[in-house]
Amino acid sequence: MDLRTEFPRSMKVRLGGYAHLARMIDKCRAVLAGTEGEYLYPCPMDERLLEFAGITSDQFTAAVKANATDERVLAWFQQHAQAHQPAELEDWNQRLLLRGPSSPESAAKFKKYLDSIDPLRTDLTAWSDLQDLEEGRIVPQRTSVTHFS
């Protein structure tokens, strides 16, 4: 995957029930190929998933390097990840996908990015939505609005 010319999958795409896993694979593959462009791996979102799974970024990178397909990476991930009940995984997915800025500095950064992409989208509060908007995906209007100052 060449992230200098295309986008990784949305963090909303689920692989094996995990939000963000497909995107993390895309970014890891790009880093291994030297085609990550401006994308970071491991980024804070990657670290959240890895921590939830009980896997290090070095372990995950080695697994992606050794397994050429999503199916094989997923099989490795499921074999090595800490087991979670479906409800616990779904709760974690929702918390990740709804996660917004966690500090005044983070809120300022979020607002700056959002203003540069679409300043009229004051309804967006989650990093996952901001990423999708930035990468040209359709992000439906939200009914609840949070304004950052």
Side-chain angles (χ1 to χ4, degrees), residues 75-91:
W76 178 90
F77 189 84
Q78 290 172 325
Q79 183 179 9
H80 292 86
Q82 177 183 344
H84 295 96
Q85 294 297 317
E88 185 182 9
L89 174 57
E90 184 54 32
D91 179 62

Side-chain angles (χ1 to χ4, degrees), residues 26-129:
D26 290 346
K27 294 189 311 164
C28 183
R29 284 186 178 137
V31 165
L32 289 169
T35 58
E36 70 272 20
E38 295 183 13
Y39 286 88
L40 299 177
Y41 167 81
C43 74
M45 292 293 189
D46 301 334
E47 294 291 353
R48 284 183 182 86
L49 174 54
L50 293 167
E51 181 180 335
F52 179 69
I55 296 171
T56 68
S57 59
D58 288 341
Q59 291 170 318
F60 186 77
T61 301
V64 171
K65 190 174 189 176
N67 294 285
T69 66
D70 285 353
E71 293 76 20
R72 290 188 60 190
V73 173
L74 176 59
W76 178 90
F77 189 84
Q78 290 172 325
Q79 183 179 9
H80 292 86
Q82 177 183 344
H84 295 96
Q85 294 297 317
E88 185 182 9
L89 174 57
E90 184 54 32
D91 179 62
W92 183 87
N93 284 334
Q94 289 304 310
R95 283 185 285 121
L96 181 74
L97 295 176
L98 295 174
R99 184 177 181 81
S102 57
S103 68
E105 296 79 15
S106 181
K109 183 178 176 182
F110 187 97
K111 183 176 180 350
K112 179 181 174 187
Y113 286 148
L114 182 57
D115 286 349
S116 71
I117 300 163
D118 187 347
L120 300 177
R121 290 302 304 267
T122 58
D123 59 305
L124 299 185
T125 60
W127 288 107
S128 63
D129 287 335

